[in-house]
């Protein structure tokens, strides 16, 4: 019996084993021919009739002349490209993103690299298919057996920079039913694609320094997130959190980047306060990623703390989309949340994350899962993405939106002159 899906999966995995990383794109000429592709038009066509739809339709042939800082690339363009790869960043730049993101983690030899999590190499790279590197993982691969899912955990801190650079980037996914490391490479969500991580291809991984060089050559702004370590700090008994935070800034200073072009981010408030105190030129733009809102108690605490945070020098907060929006019981319209109003009153700027992360809005699961949970009644089709973007832009007044497909936000920004 022929099993085409299994054959394709194993073929893809085998290619990952043998594919050699392509040279890093350390520099790239500025992109002037910005393109949206077909997705924004698909979303507009899918909208219900409204003034917003008419406005967006009127911009269908309007050429984007410059990147927009309102459009922030989340991990590159991971709806279709392997995240934190040169290929994904270039796709985001082509789509008009004015700000490009590198999530920062450190290697065993304490070099900064771009990964969404310190310990995601087993799902975002081909490390498990390289025996000598797989053996160094925090938790080696264990196959699915007796009803238990396959497991693994591989961290940047498990390997050196040279070993990290030998890896290939792939779509962030894994197959819990896998019995071999090669099978474990599969599992890409149906709404994403392996088209740009196809057999024989290799997503190019990058150091933070290389990310800075590439983004600078494109003439764009930077946002580097200091990822919360998953190893005990101080690492190796001497590498402290403060050293980690300082190293991120030092790499921008060594490259002579104007601090006004840099949005340093962290979920840890102490990192933000460190930058404000020790690197004020960068601290002014530092972004406090606020996950306190994930619980009712934390949300209430966040609202109450706005004035205090502003007095401590925090100028920008970035919570998930749901924390900024609510539905008015009387009008049924999407309106700014209590959190959004409190931030505005305190004089704090807002950035939202992350658009198009949940998958198709036609599924209740995607609407309720996280990002749209407070406005689930108002998002029933793909076109409603633009209702959310418009509410964030016009009603909440966010300064930017992270997106897994920057073209969606760029199209809106181009239409409204943002």
């Amino acid at each position: 019996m022929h099993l085409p899906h299994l054959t394709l999966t194993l073929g893809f995995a085998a290619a990952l084993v043998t594919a050699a990383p392509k040279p890093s794109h350390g520099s790239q000429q500025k992109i002037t021919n910005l393109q949206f592709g077909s997705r924004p038009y698909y979303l507009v066509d899918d909208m219900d009739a409204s003034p917003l739809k008419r406005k967006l339709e009127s911009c269908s042939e309007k050429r984007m002349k410059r990147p927009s800082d309102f459009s922030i690339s989340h991990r590159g363009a991971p709806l279709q490209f392997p995240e934190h790869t040169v290929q994904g960043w270039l796709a985001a730049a082509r789509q008009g993103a004015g700000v490009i993101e590198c999530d920062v983690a450190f290697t065993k030899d304490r070099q900064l690299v771009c990964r969404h999590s310190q310990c995601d190499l087993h799902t975002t790279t081909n490390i498990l298919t390289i025996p000598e590197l797989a053996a160094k993982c925090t938790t080696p691969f264990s196959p699915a057996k007796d009803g238990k899912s396959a497991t693994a955990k591989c961290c940047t801190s498990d390997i050196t920079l040279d070993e990290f650079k030998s890896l290939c980037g792939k779509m962030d996914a894994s197959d819990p039913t896998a019995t071999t490391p090669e099978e474990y490479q599969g599992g890409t969500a149906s709404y994403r694609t392996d088209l740009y991580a196809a057999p024989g291809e290799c997503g190019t991984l990058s150091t933070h320094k290389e990310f800075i060089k590439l983004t600078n050559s494109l003439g764009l702004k930077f946002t580097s997130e200091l990822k919360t370590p998953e190893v005990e700090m101080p690492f190796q008994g001497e590498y402290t959190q403060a050293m980690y935070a300082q190293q991120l800034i030092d790499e921008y200073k060594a490259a002579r980047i104007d601090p006004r072009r840099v949005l340093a981010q962290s979920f840890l408030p102490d990192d933000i306060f460190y930058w404000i105190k020790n690197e004020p030129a960068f601290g002014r733009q530092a972004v406090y990623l606020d996950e306190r809102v994930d619980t009712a108690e934390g949300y209430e605490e966040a609202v109450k703390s706005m004035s205090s945070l502003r007095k401590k020098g925090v100028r920008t907060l970035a919570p998930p989309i749901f924390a900024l929006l609510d539905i008015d019981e009387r009008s049924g319209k999407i309106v700014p949340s209590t959190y959004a109003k409190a931030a505005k009153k305190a004089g704090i700027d807002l950035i939202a994350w992350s658009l198009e992360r949940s998958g198709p809005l036609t599924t209740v699961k995607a609407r309720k899962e996280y990002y749209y949970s407070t406005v689930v009644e108002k998002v029933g089709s793909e076109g409603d993405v633009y209702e959310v973007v418009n509410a964030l832009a016009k009603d909440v007044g966010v300064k930017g939106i992270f997106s897994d497909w920057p073209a969606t936000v760029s199209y809106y920004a181009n239409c409204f002159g943002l």
Side-chain angles (χ1 to χ4, degrees):
M1 188 170 100
H2 184 53
L3 299 175
H5 175 72
L6 179 58
T7 301
L8 178 62
T9 300
L10 291 175
F12 171 63
L16 281 175
V17 176
T18 58
K22 295 180 180 178
S24 175
H25 295 68
S27 62
Q28 171 84 21
Q29 69 181 48
K30 292 183 180 179
I31 295 173
T32 57
N33 182 18
L34 303 175
Q35 302 170 9
F36 302 123
S38 58
R39 180 163 175 76
Y41 307 99
Y42 165 78
L43 296 174
V44 173
D45 287 344
D46 193 54
M47 295 175 68
D48 293 335
S50 68
L52 175 60
K53 179 174 182 174
R54 290 194 294 273
K55 171 63 177 176
L56 292 172
E57 286 176 330
S58 74
C59 299
S60 63
E61 306 308 315
K62 182 180 178 182
R63 182 178 176 183
M64 192 174 195
K65 297 180 180 179
R66 59 178 178 79
S68 172
D69 293 350
F70 188 76
S71 179
I72 306 175
S73 159
H74 182 238
R75 314 188 198 181
L79 189 64
Q80 294 195 4
F81 289 84
E83 63 185 50
H84 292 307
T85 60
V86 170
Q87 292 78 11
W89 289 326
L90 291 177
R94 178 70 67 186
Q95 292 176 26
V99 186
I100 307 295
E101 182 186 43
C102 164
D103 291 324
V104 176
F106 55 83
T107 59
K108 187 175 183 179
D109 46 353
R110 305 181 202 171
Q111 299 300 304
L112 302 185
V113 296
C114 298
R115 284 294 89 197
H116 176 67
S117 167
Q118 184 178 38
C119 297
D120 70 4
L121 296 182
H122 52 291
T123 63
T124 64
T125 76
N126 64 331
I127 189 170
L128 291 178
T129 66
I130 306 174
E132 60 271 25
L133 296 184
K136 298 182 179 184
C137 289
T138 296
T139 304
F141 173 75
S142 178
K145 187 177 181 181
D146 299 330
K148 294 183 178 180
S149 297
T151 58
K153 183 178 181 180
C154 304
C155 308
T156 58
S157 51
D158 292 333
I159 58 177
T160 66
L161 177 59
D162 287 345
E163 291 168 335
F164 173 84
K165 290 286 290 179
S166 73
L167 301 175
C168 290
K170 73 175 192 69
M171 293 300 283
D172 185 8
S174 61
D175 183 350
T177 67
T179 57
T180 67
E182 289 74 21
E183 290 176 352
Y184 193 77
Q185 303 294 288
T188 300
S190 61
Y191 58 88
R192 297 185 184 274
T193 180
D194 288 318
L195 184 62
Y196 300 107
E201 294 300 311
C202 183
T204 307
L205 304 192
S206 176
T207 67
H208 186 237
K209 291 177 182 178
E210 290 169 334
F211 159 77
I212 293 173
K213 185 176 181 180
L214 174 63
T215 304
N216 190 45
S217 70
L218 293 167
L220 303 175
K221 291 184 179 180
F222 318 77
T223 183
S224 295
E225 180 189 336
L226 197 72
K227 298 306 297 188
T228 302
E230 295 187 40
V231 295
E232 184 177 350
M233 300 293 278
F235 180 60
Q236 298 174 337
E238 58 184 24
Y239 185 63
T240 67
Q241 185 70 24
M243 292 169 65
Y244 179 31
Q246 186 62 51
Q247 187 176 355
L248 183 149
I249 300 301
D250 285 346
E251 293 194 349
Y252 278 109
K253 293 167 74 174
R256 298 184 178 181
I257 302 298
D258 186 334
R260 292 172 295 182
R261 294 173 62 196
V262 180
L263 305 177
Q265 317 169 60
S266 179
F267 280 101
L268 299 180
D270 284 349
D271 292 338
I272 305 298
F273 298 143
Y274 175 88
W275 290 325
I276 290 171
K277 178 181 178 181
N278 297 283
E279 294 288 351
F282 290 89
R284 291 187 189 97
Q285 291 79 240
V287 179
Y288 176 14
L289 300 166
D290 196 354
E291 61 182 350
R292 295 174 297 172
V293 297
D294 286 356
T295 66
E297 297 80 8
Y299 183 97
E300 184 177 348
E301 174 197 343
V303 170
K304 291 179 179 179
S305 71
M306 292 295 181
S307 179
S308 174
L309 286 174
R310 186 63 187 86
K311 289 178 181 178
K312 292 179 180 179
V314 177
R315 300 187 179 197
T316 306
L317 285 171
I321 291 170
F322 77 83
L324 296 174
L325 301 175
D326 207 342
I327 296 178
D328 182 75
E329 294 182 359
R330 304 178 74 177
S331 66
K333 295 182 179 180
I334 299 176
V335 295
S337 67
T338 302
Y339 181 106
K341 294 175 183 177
K344 182 177 181 180
K345 184 178 179 180
I348 294 177
D349 289 337
L350 294 168
I351 293 174
W353 50 272
S354 294
L355 202 73
E356 301 192 283
R357 187 73 193 162
S358 296
L361 295 183
T362 50
T363 65
V364 175
K365 179 181 179 182
R367 301 199 305 272
K368 288 186 176 181
E369 180 183 29
Y370 190 71
Y371 298 103
Y372 305 100
S373 56
T374 55
V375 291
V376 63
E377 298 171 23
K378 302 296 293 184
V379 287
S381 68
E382 285 297 275
D384 289 335
V385 164
Y386 275 127
E387 297 291 347
V388 172
V389 172
N390 191 60
L392 290 169
K394 298 296 184 181
D395 301 324
V396 175
V398 300
K399 299 300 181 182
I401 299 176
F402 281 94
S403 176
D404 276 24
W405 198 244
T408 300
V409 179
S410 297
Y411 182 92
Y412 180 95
N414 187 53
C415 190
F416 283 91
L418 299 176

